[in-house]
Amino acid sequence: MDLAGDEDSYVYDEATGEWLPPGQAAIAAAPGQVEVRDSAGNVLADGDSVTLIKDLKVKGANQTLKQGTVIRSIRLTDDPEEIDCRHDTIKGLVLRTEFVRKR
C-alpha cells in the first residue's frame, strides 16, 4: 500500500510502529498511560462521578455504602483497578473499579 499520497489520511504511531487512521490514533493511549475502566467498560478520568453497583462494607469505618451511592470527583491511581475518592462520611476511600459504573 502506498501511503505517500495519503499523508493526511494516516498518522504514524511511534508506540506501536503502525500507520493508523487519525481517529484511531487519537483513541490510542499514550505510552505509560493506562486506561482505567469501570465495570461496564467505560473509560474513567480524574473528576468523573461514579455509582456503586453493589453494597460495600467499608473496612475500618464500620459502615456500608449502599448500591446506587454516587461518588463524585474520583482520582485515578497508579493501579488501573483502583480509584481514590471521598465520601461525605469517609475520607481516603479507595474503591475497586469492578464495583463502580460511570455516571
Side-chain angles (χ1 to χ4, degrees):
M1 177 179 194
D2 182 21
L3 297 175
D6 296 351
E7 290 177 11
D8 296 331
S9 299
Y10 291 89
V11 177
Y12 184 73
D13 184 10
E14 292 180 12
T16 61
E18 298 177 359
W19 287 92
L20 302 172
Q24 189 176 0
I27 295 172
Q33 184 182 19
V34 178
E35 283 188 345
V36 177
R37 295 186 177 266
D38 67 359
S39 62
N42 299 316
V43 177
L44 296 174
D46 283 336
D48 282 346
S49 294
V50 295
T51 305
L52 297 179
I53 61 169
K54 77 178 256 184
D55 292 351
L56 298 174
K57 293 180 183 176
V58 181
K59 292 181 182 179
N62 294 331
Q63 187 175 9
T64 301
L65 293 174
K66 299 291 183 182
Q67 177 181 354
T69 302
V70 176
I71 306 290
R72 293 179 178 84
S73 299
I74 65 167
R75 289 180 310 276
L76 303 181
T77 63
D78 294 334
D79 185 354
E81 295 180 358
E82 294 180 347
I83 54 173
D84 277 336
C85 49
R86 189 178 303 161
H87 188 261
D88 296 338
T89 58
I90 305 168
K91 295 179 181 172
L93 181 63
V94 177
L95 294 175
R96 304 230 356 129
T97 56
E98 63 190 283
F99 300 121
V100 299
R101 183 181 65 233
K102 188 173 182 177
R103 189 165 158 99

